Amino acid sequence: MTRRIGVAGFLHETNTFAPSPARMGDFIQGGGYMPFARGADVIVRSRGINLGIAGAIAYAQEQGWEVVPVLWAGAIPSAPVEAAAYEAIAGEIVAGIRDAGPLDGVFLDLHGAMVAEHEDDGEGVLLSRVREAIGPRVPVAVALDLHGNITARMFEAADAMVGFRTYPHIDMADTGRRAAAVLGELMERPQPWFKAIRRLDYLIPIAWQCTSEEPAKGLYARTVAQERDGQVTSSSLFTGFPAADFPECGPVVVTYGRSETAVEAAADALHDAVLAAEPAFAGTSYEPDAGVRAAMEIARTATRPVIIADTQDNPGAGGDSDTTGMLRALVACGARAAALGCLFDPEAAKAAHAAGEGAQVTLALGGRSGVPGDAPFVGTFTVERLSDGNVVAPGPYYGGAHMRMGPSAALRIDDIRVVVVSHKAQMADRALYRMVGIEPERQAILVNKSSVHFRADFDPIAETILVCTAPGPMPLSPAVLAWKRLRPGIRLEPLGRPFSPAA
């Protein structure tokens, strides 16, 4: 019997403290994801790239299922999704699934931390509407980012939620395959099916959630081990996105399977392991000048680039990718053979293209997000290289995605080069340097506007990695954010103070 499944995707990671909302145009452009796609274009555009929907469709086709694609939309993290954009995309997904004819199952590629202007729980609302459209018997499986802030409404509406196990997220497509496999099991044997959820009591800074390092490395290995006995079909740890000001923000453990006893025990064991790991979610960070000076000292004898993560202006966490604190530090410290990317400034890119390669331009570069302690950097730059910003990013994170960065340029001041772009995407692939003529391996210092994803493509060339805290809208520690609506009692960082609305 041929199975018939509806598939759709709607991805946004929302930083409610960020300066800029997600508008419809951001989803159409894609912002590092693939551009907006409908119908058969979803299958064509996603083929072979690192996205959950790509893995799910590939698995479905291998099983001989009929795939009914509705749409896929993703935008770079930012402030909440504008209500009109949310309703337009969510409404089209629900209508497409409702009107697709009889379905044996539904696969959704979501993020898990979407907040809209009018809805705290973007995915929970969408899943509830999908459930209402298809009824209680059609199974729904969801692939989710491990940064998902999983809500009770999401847990109730979905039959299975399967999370990434890597950060950098090099397993997005693989997670789609795993979620599709769970959907296949649900379609073949819908009963019995048990699920469990456990909520943790502390927020985890995203810079310390990297799964190539402890404690996250061992915790995610545990989720794999829990599935090996056959009684637990799926085990996921969502470390959460700690910049969404609503009560259900924070880490969550979710397990599924055929044995209620095994599923509950696995959820308890994983919860307890994450709780025990709380003191280990820590790391070292530097102020901008201190970080640059440390990088310069290491670079004196290094054979590979020293890489600095400009973590607090990470466009993958809601930053506008335009703060200038790290550029200011590079110039002030006299850094040599240094490059920074990507700095979002469409007007500066336009001015560089108007001036032409080899010209000198005086600019007030970046610094327009209104971040306290940040300002435009005023200087005279040489336009070294221009680009249309169209580039394939073949590294493990973007996975061959076609990036549309808009008019872009390499601007040089002293011995420092800045990659200036017209669309935001985090510096998670060396191709984003090369598109403007910068060979990252030949630099002494690279400053990447990213927190962790850059490691997937830059670890192999890095002498070492330093984390710097120039002013930006995604603080390294969630404890410094102006929380108002969190669940009372949750600790604002590992071993940190509990949140109190009165405080």
Side-chain angles (χ1 to χ4, degrees):
M1 176 183 176
T2 299
R3 297 294 183 182
R4 193 167 185 268
I5 65 164
V7 301
F10 188 12
L11 275 72
H12 189 262
E13 181 179 68
T14 305
N15 179 341
T16 61
F17 303 96
S20 304
R23 301 177 174 90
M24 192 67 182
D26 298 309
F27 289 96
I28 292 171
Q29 191 269 335
Y33 293 120
M34 71 178 186
F36 193 104
R38 289 186 173 91
D41 272 354
V42 174
I43 297 175
V44 173
R45 290 189 178 186
S46 67
R47 188 173 292 126
I49 64 175
N50 185 32
L51 285 175
I53 202 161
I57 290 171
Y59 182 89
Q61 291 173 332
E62 291 164 9
Q63 302 303 309
W65 301 344
E66 180 185 351
V67 175
V68 184
V70 179
L71 69 76
W72 192 95
I76 195 163
S78 68
V81 179
E82 285 192 340
Y86 177 88
E87 292 299 338
I89 296 169
E92 190 171 340
I93 289 172
V94 174
I97 290 172
R98 183 189 61 228
D99 299 339
L103 295 172
D104 297 293
V106 171
F107 168 83
L108 294 177
D109 185 17
L110 305 177
H111 183 281
M114 182 193 299
V115 177
E117 289 177 329
H118 61 314
E119 299 283 2
D120 284 342
D121 185 5
E123 287 92 353
V125 171
L126 174 60
L127 283 163
S128 295
R129 292 177 184 177
V130 168
R131 176 59 68 195
E132 183 178 355
I134 62 176
R137 296 185 180 277
V138 179
V140 177
V142 188
L144 292 164
D145 195 303
L146 64 77
H147 292 127
N149 292 319
I150 307 304
T151 67
R153 192 172 188 178
M154 293 168 64
F155 181 70
E156 177 64 27
D159 294 282
M161 295 185 292
V162 180
F164 303 165
R165 286 174 169 153
T166 63
Y167 181 38
H169 302 327
I170 60 174
D171 70 331
M172 290 189 281
D174 182 63
T175 301
R177 292 184 69 91
R178 291 192 290 119
V182 173
L183 180 62
E185 182 175 338
L186 287 166
M187 290 190 296
E188 293 301 323
R189 295 186 296 144
Q191 297 294 332
W193 185 250
F194 301 99
K195 54 186 181 178
I197 185 170
R198 303 287 186 271
R199 202 167 291 280
L200 275 298
D201 289 327
Y202 66 97
L203 300 179
I204 306 173
I206 62 169
W208 313 141
Q209 293 183 17
C210 179
T211 58
S212 62
E213 299 179 352
E214 298 294 354
K217 182 178 180 179
L219 292 171
Y220 281 95
R222 183 182 284 264
T223 68
V224 177
Q226 286 185 331
E227 295 178 1
R228 287 181 182 148
D229 64 3
Q231 293 184 304
V232 175
T233 301
S234 177
S235 171
S236 293
L237 164 60
F238 298 94
T239 42
F241 183 63
D245 193 10
F246 78 113
E248 291 178 279
C249 177
V252 166
V253 165
V254 179
T255 55
Y256 301 91
R258 298 294 174 189
S259 164
E260 183 175 14
T261 301
V263 166
E264 294 288 341
D268 285 338
L270 188 53
H271 169 274
D272 292 348
V274 181
L275 192 60
E278 184 174 0
F281 279 109
T284 300
S285 63
Y286 296 82
E287 293 295 314
D289 284 3
V292 170
R293 286 194 296 268
M296 291 170 66
E297 180 60 27
I298 296 167
R300 286 178 59 249
T301 56
T303 58
R304 299 184 297 177
V306 178
I307 299 176
I308 295 174
D310 186 2
T311 187
Q312 297 194 148
D313 191 34
N314 173 15
D320 268 350
S321 199
D322 80 335
T323 64
T324 60
M326 290 312 305
L327 174 58
R328 209 174 297 278
L330 290 170
V331 174
C333 294
R336 307 288 297 172
L340 179 151
C342 297
L343 195 143
F344 169 67
D345 191 330
E347 291 303 313
K350 182 179 179 181
H353 277 254
E357 290 183 358
Q360 289 198 322
V361 289
T362 298
L363 299 167
L365 188 63
R368 293 179 175 83
S369 296
V371 173
D374 189 55
F377 180 92
V378 179
T380 300
F381 299 82
T382 299
V383 181
E384 282 205 337
R385 183 71 68 87
L386 300 172
S387 169
D388 62 8
N390 294 326
V391 63
V392 175
Y397 172 65
Y398 287 121
H402 291 257
M403 309 286 287
R404 299 178 179 180
M405 305 304 296
S408 302
L411 302 182
R412 179 173 57 81
I413 182 167
D414 300 334
D415 198 21
I416 300 154
R417 290 160 180 81
V418 183
V419 182
V420 178
V421 295
S422 297
H423 294 297
K424 287 176 277 189
Q426 63 180 304
M427 177 53 83
D429 199 294
R430 283 176 262 169
L432 296 176
Y433 280 116
R434 293 187 180 121
M435 75 176 181
V436 290
I438 298 170
E439 289 297 330
E441 295 85 350
R442 296 179 184 174
Q443 308 307 306
I445 299 172
L446 295 170
V447 177
N448 291 351
K449 285 187 176 288
S450 178
S451 292
V452 172
H453 282 319
F454 73 92
R455 290 176 178 264
D457 201 35
F458 287 84
D459 267 350
I461 69 164
E463 183 77 16
T464 191
I465 293 171
L466 308 179
V467 176
C468 280
T469 54
M474 182 60 186
L476 176 63
S477 171
V480 306
L481 291 168
W483 300 99
K484 295 179 180 178
R485 303 178 55 230
L486 277 181
R487 171 166 49 99
I490 189 169
R491 293 182 290 285
L492 296 176
E493 61 184 347
L495 305 179
R497 63 182 174 86
F499 174 68
S500 169

